[in-house]
Amino acid sequence: MKKRERQQKVIDEVSINRKVSSSFLSEKLDVSEDTIRRDIKELHDKGMITKVHGGAISNIQKLYHYNEDVIYNREGKVRIAQKAISLIEDGMIIIISGGTTNLMLAKLLPKNLKATIYTYSLPIAMQLTEHPLIETIFIGGKIQRNSMVTTGIDVIQYLSNIKASICFMGVSALNIEQGITDEGYEVSLIKKAMITASEHIVYLATSNKLNLRLNYDVCNLKEIDTVVTDLDKQDPRLKDYISAGINLL
């Protein structure tokens, strides 16, 4: 394994686990602890992670403590994030909605990515501060305490002035008949504004969000550009969506 690839894996492990030991990384990457310690020092000096006794922690841990216990199905969300990252290019203007799947996407973005990212999610905005080359713009408004996202007319008006290359949108519910729906009226309106503000919409949907319907419409099936799931395309649960013409990753 080349040094650059190994160091990226160190960054990924720190981003996912928030704190890792040198011995854990040594075993996982099959290299000596001395090598890992040198990698950690180099990455610390570049501002990508924080070196601590016995290992490394995520930079965000110093700034903001997010309750990661709510991130269930972590492995599935990592798979979705890794697929979604393949759609990102340097220089893009990106919108990211709220949710723990999008939080995982923010964690795993390449540290050398140069982009401008708008978000109305406080946890995601704080997570993005780990990325030295990303310009992060937090869309202010009234904060919902349960989800830590902003809502209200100010958010919608702000979005109306954005022209984004791509939007990564978390999915609360998706089915063949109604398309994408959400449990909150205000959030559904903001998601519609994100759709209008973006050239391409990528919906991130864990498998437990499929074949569900909630109270408020976000978009119908024909308006969906791309859906990224944690499933293989051959999974029978995706058959109807493929038949309906949805582009799946």
Side-chain angles (χ1 to χ4, degrees), residues 22-76:
S22 299
S23 58
F24 169 82
L25 291 169
S26 171
E27 183 176 349
K28 188 168 183 80
L29 302 181
D30 194 25
V31 294
S32 71
E33 283 196 50
D34 284 341
T35 298
I36 290 297
R37 280 191 284 267
R38 285 194 295 270
D39 285 340
I40 288 174
K41 185 180 185 305
E42 285 186 30
L43 294 170
H44 172 88
D45 291 342
K46 293 176 181 177
M48 293 182 172
I49 60 176
T50 298
K51 179 178 176 291
V52 295
H53 179 70
I57 62 172
S58 163
N59 289 346
I60 202 71
Q61 194 157 314
K62 300 182 296 183
L63 300 170
Y64 183 73
H65 295 275
Y66 186 75
N67 180 13
E68 293 204 9
D69 292 339
V70 302
I71 305 183
Y72 59 91
N73 188 18
R74 180 183 296 270
E75 290 185 3

Side-chain angles (χ1 to χ4, degrees), residues 119-244:
T119 185
Y120 73 144
S121 165
L122 181 58
I124 288 172
M126 296 303 295
Q127 180 64 52
L128 290 171
T129 63
E130 280 198 24
H131 299 269
L133 302 180
I134 289 178
E135 181 181 8
T136 303
I137 301 172
F138 178 63
I139 304 173
K142 179 181 67 177
I143 294 181
Q144 289 189 347
R145 287 183 175 85
N146 60 339
S147 58
M148 299 295 284
V149 299
T150 54
T151 57
I153 189 64
D154 290 342
V155 179
I156 293 172
Q157 288 179 338
Y158 196 105
L159 287 165
S160 69
N161 294 313
I162 298 172
K163 295 299 179 186
S165 314
I166 193 166
C167 173
F168 293 99
M169 188 175 294
V171 171
S172 298
L174 169 62
N175 70 27
I176 292 294
E177 289 76 25
Q178 286 78 30
I180 292 174
T181 53
D182 205 278
E183 60 187 344
Y185 176 65
E186 287 187 296
V187 170
S188 72
L189 293 180
I190 290 170
K191 287 185 174 181
K192 288 179 180 179
M194 288 180 175
I195 292 170
T196 301
S198 307
E199 294 178 11
H200 188 82
I201 317 296
V202 180
Y203 299 91
L204 308 185
T206 50
S207 54
N208 63 310
K209 304 297 176 64
L210 300 178
N211 305 323
L212 296 180
R213 180 185 180 182
L214 294 172
N215 293 331
Y216 300 102
D217 292 336
V218 174
C219 69
N220 62 46
L221 214 63
K222 292 181 180 178
E223 295 175 296
I224 295 174
D225 295 327
T226 302
V227 175
V228 183
T229 78
D230 50 338
L231 304 174
D232 294 328
K233 282 188 179 181
Q234 293 76 25
D235 193 292
R237 286 171 286 182
L238 297 177
K239 182 179 178 182
D240 289 342
Y241 297 96
I242 293 172
S243 298

Side-chain angles (χ1 to χ4, degrees), residues 11-24:
I11 291 168
D12 290 346
E13 289 297 329
V14 172
S15 295
I16 293 168
N17 297 298
R18 298 182 75 82
K19 182 177 182 180
V20 291
S21 67
S22 299
S23 58
F24 169 82

Side-chain angles (χ1 to χ4, degrees), residues 77-95:
K77 291 176 181 180
V78 169
R79 284 197 297 273
I80 289 173
Q82 289 171 339
K83 290 181 184 180
I85 286 169
S86 69
L87 302 173
I88 298 174
E89 298 176 1
D90 271 346
M92 278 186 163
I93 297 174
I94 300 168
I95 299 174

